[in-house]
Amino acid sequence: MTGHLLEFRNVVKRFGGVTALDDFSMTLDQSEILGLIGPNGSGKTTSFNVLTGIYGPTEGQVFFEGQEITGADPRAVYEAGIVRTFQRSRLCLSLSIYDNIMIGDTSRLVRGLWSNLISRRRLEEQLDMTRRQARDLVATFSGHLADRMDQPVGALPMIERRRIEICRALISGPRLLLLDEPSAGMTHDETHQLMDDILDVRARGEGLSIIIVEHEMGVIERITDRCIVLSYGRKIAEGTYAEVAADSEVQNAYLGAD
Amino acid sequence: MTDISLPQSQPSRPWISAAAVIVASGLYSWALLMAEETWQVLSLLVLAVVATGVAIKTGFVRRVERDWAASETRLNRLAFAVLIALILVLSGSHFALLMISTVLLYFVASLGLNIQFGFTGLVNFAGAAFFGAGAYTAAVLGNVLVIPPLLILLAGGLVAMAISLPLLIPIVRTTGHYAAVVTIAFGVLFRTFLEVNEILGGPQGLMVNSMKLFGWDFYNAPSLGNLEISFYLNYALLAAGLAALVFALFRRLERSWIGLHMDAVRLDETAAACFGISVKRTKILAFLLGNVILGVSGALYGMMISFIAPASFTFSDSLLLVSIVLLGGLGSPWGGAIAAAIVVLLPEKLQLLQEYRFLLFSILVMLVLLFRPEGILPRHLRNFFPNRRTDA
């Protein structure tokens, strides 16, 4: 047992000869917003992939709410309340906005063949309920999309797709949200707006924790409680944004030592 | 034409254009089935191609599709009524009824394949094997008098499902083309097994007893005064009922969470898994359900043609089924119905093409993929709420 929401304990992930995560340990508390920063290829996305069960770690352990989830499959991780967005948007472009968001709501929906095909009363109730909830969630992020829930996602510009992806992650009421470069391809103002919206949704619920991978340091500075800096898979600094920004090793990692 | 979509300017019966298309299709099918001379058939085909082209260019197709979505239940019922009327009008003709029943059963089979391929992305090149498994089940069980024939249809589906169980391991473990190759191998294996199996008649095949329903043997022609009625009327009506039932099931599946999960698995397995969708379970369900439907349609087909042999369930026949799905549009049931009609009727109506039918279909598939890559009637966005206005 640990008192933390999430804990990485000496996690190592190797791909052949490449060590993507090297003896990585970290903790995250309830309601905390943690920034994960570092140069390209430093292991940020790998840590997400290990956590969400896409890869099993080579060594080490991962705990969530005191339960060990090392090497659990992605479904079990989702059921535990961990959701994510992807660095490159991974929506189903040919499906509607509503359909895409409902893909994120699996844990609450009836799964049996009987209740899906034959006796559909529960399914109808869920359709009505989720229709309203998905609409409200979308309205928070992008008012004009709320009236276009039946449009295919493929017809939307990139920035709207990112918003839909975040709605898909939030619809199930998760405990921990992993954001992988949410601002990629957005202007400064758009990013600003997106972060406000996320904080807005967070304020309504019960202590959602967030880990955010981001290159836009303005975002990190504004919303995170704490930062971890990775370089070549190792943690090289930890603390508030101001602390890590002043750290000489961090400056070397970003700018190169001389 | 007023094409302004203001609420007040909408026509009072928005479904009328779609209803006209259904009735016209019924009349066209009648004309095509009655046409005997090659020039008649050819001119009907030219008419269909020209009419379709004009309808697409003028936006009429889009309008019909929109109207259809707005009053679906009503139009589905009308389509079924027109089908039954067509069957009754043609009740004197063996050939026309056999054609209609064959189209309907191929359509049902294509719906099974569509659950696998169109929804879940599992390419099944052994469709004819599962279809054939149903037909052979009907042949073997048809001799056992204690089994009610309706149950034999179901048994056909269950046997098709049972023989597909060993395939689940490669289906779940592999993705994309690898799974397709496994099904090709299975189809070849199935045919070879039938050919060397003496109990199942070897290469000569088996007789299949006819369908019996509530004591009525489908081999008898229904009599009505002194009208001449073909015994195929029984099969045509039962096939129409089966098609309607499977169509309704297909639609329900599409508009359920399971249908949504099938789409998610097809489009992005990793993302699907990250949101709690069981990729394995979804694939297994789609594969088994599709094969049950293939088996049921095969069982009725066997009873109808009353004689089956391994040569009727070859790799080429599997390709035919896949081409129906591709021509119609992945996941599009109405597209599948049109494509089934084309694939079944064209070579029968144009006897001179009979020998070249596979050449013809390959050209047809290539043309469609070139000019209309999503099929004749591309699938629509899922409409979870077909009979409700949900703009609130």
Side-chain angles (χ1 to χ4, degrees):
Chain A
M1 270 302 284
T2 58
H4 303 291
L5 180 70
L6 175 73
E7 181 175 1
F8 270 62
R9 210 178 277 172
N10 308 106
V11 171
V12 177
K13 178 65 196 174
R14 289 192 200 96
F15 296 100
V18 181
T19 307
L21 270 183
D22 190 359
D23 200 24
F24 179 52
S25 296
M26 59 152 273
T27 60
L28 178 80
D29 290 324
Q30 173 92 19
S31 313
E32 199 179 12
I33 301 184
L34 176 77
L36 207 52
I37 53 183
N40 286 326
S42 60
K44 305 180 299 286
T45 299
T46 303
S47 68
F48 277 10
N49 286 340
V50 167
L51 175 54
T52 53
I54 293 178
Y55 309 139
T58 315
E59 287 167 34
Q61 291 168 299
V62 184
F63 296 89
F64 185 71
E65 293 189 307
Q67 303 283 321
E68 178 162 6
I69 57 163
T70 317
D73 75 353
R75 274 168 60 213
V77 174
Y78 165 83
E79 294 289 344
I82 303 177
V83 294
R84 68 177 291 179
T85 65
F86 295 89
Q87 195 170 358
R88 288 215 201 131
S89 162
R90 293 186 88 146
L91 292 166
C92 300
L93 297 185
S94 55
L95 303 185
S96 71
I97 296 177
Y98 173 71
D99 285 9
N100 268 286
I101 293 176
M102 290 327 291
I103 286 173
D105 213 4
T106 315
S107 58
R108 295 196 301 168
L109 306 176
V110 289
R111 295 174 197 203
L113 204 53
W114 184 262
S115 44
N116 267 278
L117 296 188
I118 314 294
S119 166
R120 298 178 24 124
R121 208 173 45 80
R122 287 273 316 279
L123 181 107
E124 302 261 341
E125 285 169 12
Q126 290 180 344
L127 280 170
D128 288 333
M129 179 190 76
T130 54
R131 183 82 176 173
R132 247 179 294 118
Q133 291 176 345
R135 192 176 184 284
D136 290 346
L137 192 57
V138 169
T140 314
F141 284 89
S142 187
H144 68 283
L145 284 187
D147 298 320
R148 292 157 57 188
M149 297 291 283
D150 293 322
Q151 286 212 344
V153 167
L156 302 177
M158 198 39 121
I159 165 174
E160 303 284 25
R161 292 187 198 173
R162 293 225 165 252
R163 290 177 175 144
I164 300 302
E165 216 183 348
I166 289 169
C167 291
R168 177 175 72 176
L170 288 175
I171 188 75
S172 62
R175 308 289 320 277
L176 171 59
L177 171 65
L178 310 175
L179 294 170
D180 199 346
E181 290 194 36
S183 80
M186 287 191 189
T187 67
H188 187 76
D189 289 345
E190 287 166 346
T191 311
H192 206 90
Q193 186 60 47
L194 184 70
M195 292 305 144
D196 283 346
D197 295 337
I198 293 174
L199 294 178
D200 190 19
V201 171
R202 180 168 169 271
R204 281 186 238 156
E206 306 252 320
L208 173 69
S209 308
I210 299 175
I211 303 181
I212 176 168
V213 164
E214 188 51 76
H215 284 299
E216 186 68 50
M217 288 308 147
V219 173
I220 295 287
E221 181 174 16
R222 197 161 65 86
I223 77 164
T224 59
D225 301 314
R226 190 160 56 95
C227 291
I228 288 176
V229 187
L230 287 170
S231 177
Y232 295 105
R234 281 188 315 107
K235 179 162 84 177
I236 57 169
E238 183 170 357
T240 63
Y241 177 75
E243 285 165 10
V244 299
D247 189 294
S248 63
E249 202 177 344
V250 174
Q251 289 172 355
N252 283 344
Y254 268 94
L255 303 173
D258 49 11
Chain B
M1 288 300 289
T2 48
D3 203 7
I4 313 156
S5 53
L6 289 173
Q8 55 265 52
S9 73
Q10 271 187 358
S12 55
R13 290 191 202 89
W15 43 268
I16 208 85
S17 64
V21 169
I22 293 174
V23 173
S25 312
L27 288 173
Y28 181 85
S29 312
W30 174 79
L32 186 64
L33 286 164
M34 293 303 280
E36 283 177 359
E37 304 293 330
T38 306
W39 68 266
Q40 291 171 327
V41 176
L42 282 175
S43 34
L44 279 169
L45 289 178
V46 171
L47 174 70
V49 171
V50 170
T52 313
V54 169
I56 291 173
K57 278 275 179 274
T58 56
F60 183 68
V61 169
R62 203 164 303 140
R63 185 174 153 203
V64 169
E65 285 179 332
R66 205 180 51 219
D67 294 351
W68 196 294
S71 23
E72 217 192 86
T73 318
R74 192 196 302 249
L75 292 166
N76 283 346
R77 283 186 194 142
L78 176 66
F80 187 69
V82 167
L83 170 65
I84 298 296
L86 180 69
I87 290 172
L88 292 177
V89 167
L90 293 169
S91 62
S93 162
H94 278 316
F95 179 74
L97 290 182
L98 177 64
M99 284 302 103
I100 293 174
S101 319
T102 310
V103 169
L104 286 170
L105 292 176
Y106 270 57
F107 167 57
V108 173
S110 82
L111 289 178
L113 215 56
N114 238 325
I115 293 174
Q116 302 171 338
F117 187 15
F119 286 178
T120 321
L122 297 169
V123 195
N124 179 357
F125 281 117
F130 300 113
F131 193 75
Y136 269 87
T137 308
V140 172
L141 292 184
N143 293 320
V144 186
L145 288 173
V146 288
I147 304 178
L150 265 188
L151 277 189
I152 294 183
L153 291 188
L154 201 61
L158 293 179
V159 168
M161 185 181 88
I163 66 163
S164 64
L165 289 177
L167 275 178
L168 288 179
I169 300 165
I171 290 284
V172 165
R173 283 204 189 152
T174 58
T175 50
H177 306 307
Y178 298 100
V181 171
V182 174
T183 62
I184 293 177
F186 181 82
V188 173
L189 213 69
F190 177 80
R191 191 190 166 190
T192 315
F193 169 77
L194 291 180
E195 276 176 348
V196 299
N197 192 311
E198 288 301 318
I199 304 167
L200 293 177
Q204 272 79 44
L206 286 176
M207 294 286 293
V208 191
N209 278 341
S210 53
M211 183 76 193
K212 290 176 199 67
L213 209 54
F214 310 117
W216 171 255
D217 192 324
F218 274 32
Y219 188 70
N220 297 321
S223 57
L224 196 73
N226 42 12
L227 278 176
E228 267 194 41
I229 295 178
S230 157
F231 75 94
Y232 281 122
L233 181 67
N234 302 309
Y235 286 105
L237 291 174
L238 186 59
L242 181 68
L245 184 76
V246 176
F247 177 85
L249 198 74
F250 183 88
R251 274 284 191 235
R252 283 193 161 205
L253 179 68
E254 183 187 8
R255 291 159 186 176
S256 72
W257 304 130
I258 294 182
L260 178 64
H261 292 172
M262 288 178 171
D263 281 333
V265 166
R266 180 184 80 248
L267 294 165
D268 191 336
E269 277 187 29
T270 309
C274 282
F275 290 101
I277 295 169
S278 169
V279 175
K280 263 188 206 170
R281 176 177 179 263
T282 309
K283 283 185 177 176
I284 290 174
L285 187 66
F287 194 62
L288 295 185
L289 195 60
N291 289 341
V292 169
I293 293 171
L294 281 162
V296 170
S297 52
L300 187 56
Y301 181 76
M303 290 176 180
M304 181 177 75
I305 61 170
S306 78
F307 183 77
I308 52 170
S312 331
F313 310 109
T314 61
F315 179 58
S316 314
D317 297 289
S318 295
L319 283 182
L320 213 65
L321 287 173
V322 173
S323 69
I324 291 178
V325 174
L326 277 176
L327 279 176
L330 289 181
S332 157
W334 286 113
I338 296 171
I342 294 175
V343 165
V344 173
L345 293 182
L346 217 54
E348 290 296 340
K349 284 307 260 189
L350 290 175
Q351 290 291 342
L352 67 159
L353 287 176
Q354 189 70 280
E355 283 177 49
Y356 301 101
R357 62 188 196 134
F358 285 109
L359 182 70
L360 182 76
F361 295 141
S362 346
I363 294 172
L364 205 59
V365 169
M366 278 192 272
L367 285 178
V368 166
L369 291 185
L370 213 59
F371 294 108
R372 218 170 148 80
E374 293 187 300
I376 297 171
L377 273 183
R379 180 181 174 192
H380 279 234
L381 284 174
R382 176 181 287 95
N383 181 4
F384 271 122
F385 309 92
N387 298 314
R388 275 182 270 181
R389 299 272 100 228
T390 48
D391 307 306

